[in-house]
Amino acid sequence: MNTTATLTERYISATIRSLTPEVQGDVRAELEASIADAIDARLEQGEAPEDAERAVLTELGDPGILAAGYADRPLHLIGPKYYLVWWRLLKLLLIIVPVCAFGGVMLGQLIDGAPTGEIIGTSVVAALGSIVHVGFWVTLVFFILERTGADTGVKWNVDQLPEPTQNGAGRADAIASLIFLVLGVGAVLWDAFIGFFPTGGEPIAILNPTLWPWGITFLFVLFAAEAVLAVVVYAKRRWTIGIAVANTLLAVVFAAWSLALLLQGALINPEFLSFVFTDNGVTDETMRILTVIAGFCLVAFPIWDIVDGWIKTARARRI
């Protein structure tokens, strides 16, 4: 067998070896005929036999890719049918799961009274591990769907079209922010003068009465600053870096102020704690755990507010 025949046979063998026996014969016959025709066409143009053979086989490309075409076998991890669903789900889970893993592990370590270095290290490792697991398992599921041809049941329709907008901050967001701030002020005043917690006698305020007047005034100033920020966002019709920085500063100030008061025992009314917890047999260890959980919440919510502000800023800059 000469060199040209050997190359042809090697190419055909490499192509059909991954195909089922039922189609190997037909594919071999088709390839032999198409290669021979292509070589004859080049020979008629004056090319040498060896050069014509090599050129034809080179144009056919990788035999593995050719075989995948005959077998209707995808050569991508996740194709266009599932790609957008996979990408949207992956982004959503990568926002939620690592944050929950980090916060959950940190809260558990705080409750156990672990050293600061161990708390941070364990929480970071948990967050990184969750990122790896989310990426792997979500991709694996869609890889299986791609190979089996299963239907996810998620289909696009025109009802999913977003409303046209020129910015990332609408009137509804501004109104909602202002309503929540007004409710917050109302709740503080209601707690001080009417009380939320029934005692069978005079109601007991939840917030420490010693916060009046300066502590509560400072809290109302923060509320007012948040309201001004919401109005500015609406007036500019978008989030900007300056607004995001201001939002971050307000969140940090609130978290630092409230957490410091909590740790000093000056945030919650001691009379309220005694009536609800201590007088009912709640131990000091349980009170410590409740304090840790409350402190965690006082930090977690501002952090989420900061992250949300920067996400909205990034979206606005893409418009």
Side-chain angles (χ1 to χ4, degrees), residues 203-218:
I204 301 176
I206 298 175
L207 292 179
N208 198 321
T210 60
L211 291 174
W212 290 87
W214 302 116
I216 297 300
T217 300
F218 181 75

Side-chain angles (χ1 to χ4, degrees), residues 6-19:
T6 299
L7 287 176
T8 301
E9 178 59 30
R10 286 167 57 189
Y11 187 90
I12 294 175
S13 296
T15 301
I16 66 173
R17 65 186 176 185
S18 62
L19 302 177

Side-chain angles (χ1 to χ4, degrees), residues 66-313:
L66 189 62
Y70 280 112
D72 194 24
R73 183 173 61 246
L75 294 179
H76 44 256
L77 191 63
I78 300 174
K81 181 179 180 181
Y82 301 108
Y83 179 80
L84 288 178
V85 179
W86 165 78
W87 182 234
R88 289 164 183 160
L89 179 61
L90 185 63
K91 287 193 296 184
L92 178 63
L93 293 179
L94 286 178
I95 292 173
I96 296 174
V97 175
V99 173
C100 292
F102 183 89
V105 172
M106 175 174 285
L107 179 58
Q109 292 292 310
L110 287 171
I111 291 175
D112 288 341
T116 302
E118 182 179 345
I119 293 174
I120 296 174
T122 305
S123 302
V124 170
V125 169
L128 294 176
S130 68
I131 292 173
V132 174
H133 279 284
V134 166
F136 173 78
W137 291 110
V138 172
T139 303
L140 177 62
V141 168
F142 280 90
F143 170 81
I144 295 173
L145 292 174
E146 184 75 45
R147 294 306 182 273
T148 59
D151 190 355
T152 62
V154 179
K155 297 185 183 298
W156 183 88
N157 61 74
V158 295
D159 294 330
Q160 294 175 298
L161 288 172
E163 292 294 332
T165 180
Q166 297 179 345
N167 57 76
R171 179 182 299 177
D173 291 338
I175 293 175
S177 298
L178 294 176
I179 289 175
F180 278 117
L181 291 173
V182 170
L183 290 176
V185 173
V188 172
L189 295 175
W190 188 285
D191 178 63
F193 298 107
I194 300 177
F196 286 103
F197 195 81
T199 62
E202 288 294 325
I204 301 176
I206 298 175
L207 292 179
N208 198 321
T210 60
L211 291 174
W212 290 87
W214 302 116
I216 297 300
T217 300
F218 181 75
L219 179 61
F220 286 168
V221 169
L222 291 179
F223 283 174
E226 285 283 353
V228 171
L229 193 65
V231 173
V232 171
V233 171
Y234 176 66
K236 288 183 173 293
R237 296 295 192 271
R238 65 191 299 119
W239 277 74
T240 64
I241 292 179
I243 293 174
V245 170
N247 182 68
T248 300
L249 291 176
L250 286 175
V252 170
V253 169
F254 173 79
W257 174 77
S258 59
L259 186 62
L261 289 177
L262 178 70
L263 296 179
Q264 295 169 8
L267 182 63
I268 307 299
N269 188 357
E271 185 180 353
F272 169 80
L273 294 176
S274 298
F275 184 84
V276 176
F277 298 105
T278 309
D279 293 348
N280 291 301
V282 176
T283 64
D284 291 341
E285 177 62 18
T286 302
M287 293 299 297
R288 184 188 71 82
I289 293 174
L290 292 175
T291 301
V292 169
I293 294 174
F296 181 84
C297 293
L298 290 175
V299 173
F301 288 121
I303 288 177
W304 173 250
D305 184 43
I306 293 171
V307 172
D308 182 57
W310 284 105
I311 290 175
K312 290 177 179 176
T313 302

